[in-house]
Structures are given as structure tokens and as C-alpha cells.
Amino acid sequence: MKKITYSAVFEFHDNYRKFSTEELSLFDMAQNACLQAYAPYSQFQVGAAVLLQNGVMIPGNNQENAAYPSGLCAERVALFYASAIHPNVPVTALAITINYSNTIFDSVVAPCGACRQVAAEYEQKFNHNIRVYLLGRNEKVLVIPSVKTLLPLLFSGDVLKNFGSSSPTDAPASPG
Ligand code: THU
């Protein structure tokens, strides 16, 4: 038996001094999107903003629905929209913030597993790390260097590609 250790380094900032103008406008976009989130059922508003390599920024916020599972998280709204309109431009950063009962969270909140999985897909697609900024109240920011550090042992499309390239004799028998 061999033990495998996983470790990651995150940066915690308690003010915005070290951030560039571009990063600050990304934060601003996420915070504005958060206030526009449609979250009548949970009252838990989430805002996201995606930065693309060409400098374009795309906002997203959670969209809830009376049929609860039909809603979508802020991060996926932003990532899917970015991919829909700029399918060939790498995603370089993702900022996320939360507003609950009219209070921007004091501490930062990390994205759900499904959003990590979706973000990881684009990270792999472009072979480019996506920096994740988790924004709390009073300029608190946790910086995560890539989505894969948030999702060790992630399920990757490479597995499916390998199946696709297997020889016909390896393929499962077709029905009938
Ligand atoms: N939510 C997000 O938008 N992002 C996450 O990463 C976690 C949860 C939303 C979904 C739902 O509208 C509300 O927050 C409560 O779960």
C-alpha cells in the first residue's frame, strides 16, 4: 500500500491592493451580477464573472426555478454563456461572490462540485489554468491558482476519448 498526498496552495488577501485594474473590474462585474441574481426560493444570490484571454468579461448569476432542479448556478451560467459566444477563446479567470439576505458574505464561499467540474472542462479544453477568485466582504479574496486544485481526481473527457479510440474488438458488444 502506498499513500498519495494531495496539497494545494491558496492565497488569502484582506484587501484589493495587489490586484490589477482588470482583476478589479472582474470583481466588480461579479458583485454587480450577484445583486441581479434570480434567487426567490433560496434568497442566496451568487454572482460570477469570467475573464477570457482576449480581455472579454462575461457575467453570470444563479437562476432559480419553481421546479428547483431546473435552476442553474451562477458559475455555470457565466461559463456556458462565455463558451457559447466565444467558443475558441481560453478562459483565464473566474470571480465568484455571494449575497445572502442582503449581506455580501463576510467569508468567501467556494463553488459547488458541479460548477468545479464544468470549469475544469474548459481548463482542460484550452490547456490553460483558470484562476478562481472567491470574493468576501470588505475586500477579502481567496485566490485559487486553477480549477484542478479544487477538484483532485476530476472526471476528465480524456477517459471518453480513450474509449473512442479503442479497437472494435475492445468495444462492448452492440445490443441485438
Ligand atoms: N449556487 C450557485 O449559484 N453557485 C454555487 O456554486 C452553489 C450554489 C446557487 C444555486 C441556488 O440558486 C442557490 O445558490 C442555493 O443553493
Side-chain angles (χ1 to χ4, degrees):
M1 195 268 280
K2 187 166 85 174
K3 286 193 181 163
I4 299 167
T5 308
Y6 173 75
S7 67
V9 178
F10 300 157
E11 276 172 26
F12 182 74
H13 296 248
D14 55 14
N15 61 61
Y16 285 167
R17 276 200 298 264
K18 292 267 166 65
F19 295 98
S20 67
T21 317
E22 187 179 57
E23 289 172 309
L24 294 180
S25 39
L26 191 73
F27 298 174
D28 201 43
M29 179 177 276
Q31 282 153 351
N32 285 326
C34 187
L35 302 176
Q36 310 293 330
Y38 179 62
Y41 304 106
S42 70
Q43 312 297 323
F44 190 83
Q45 294 182 299
V46 184
V50 165
L51 175 65
L52 303 181
Q53 200 169 48
N54 61 6
V56 170
M57 294 180 196
I58 310 279
N61 46 30
N62 53 329
Q63 298 295 321
E64 296 188 349
N65 191 278
Y68 293 175
S70 304
L72 197 62
C73 292
E75 298 88 329
R76 276 177 286 163
V77 168
L79 287 162
F80 288 151
Y81 184 48
S83 179
I85 59 173
H86 296 282
N88 300 315
V89 187
V91 177
T92 59
L94 171 65
I96 304 165
T97 191
I98 309 286
N99 180 51
Y100 188 48
S101 302
N102 289 324
T103 312
I104 297 285
F105 260 35
D106 201 36
S107 55
V108 300
V109 175
C112 77
C115 290
R116 295 178 199 205
Q117 179 69 30
V118 166
E121 178 87 20
Y122 297 118
E123 199 167 74
Q124 295 205 322
K125 175 181 178 188
F126 296 111
N127 194 21
H128 194 295
N129 285 348
I130 300 175
R131 264 168 100 73
V132 181
Y133 303 97
L134 304 181
L135 312 175
R137 203 154 52 147
N138 299 331
E139 305 194 355
K140 293 189 183 72
V141 188
L142 186 67
V143 186
I144 295 147
S146 67
V147 177
K148 59 180 172 284
T149 63
L150 283 179
L151 200 56
L153 295 180
L154 67 92
F155 181 74
S156 152
D158 292 345
V159 178
L160 304 175
K161 281 181 205 138
N162 291 338
F163 271 112
S165 65
S166 61
S167 71
T169 47
D170 296 336
S174 55

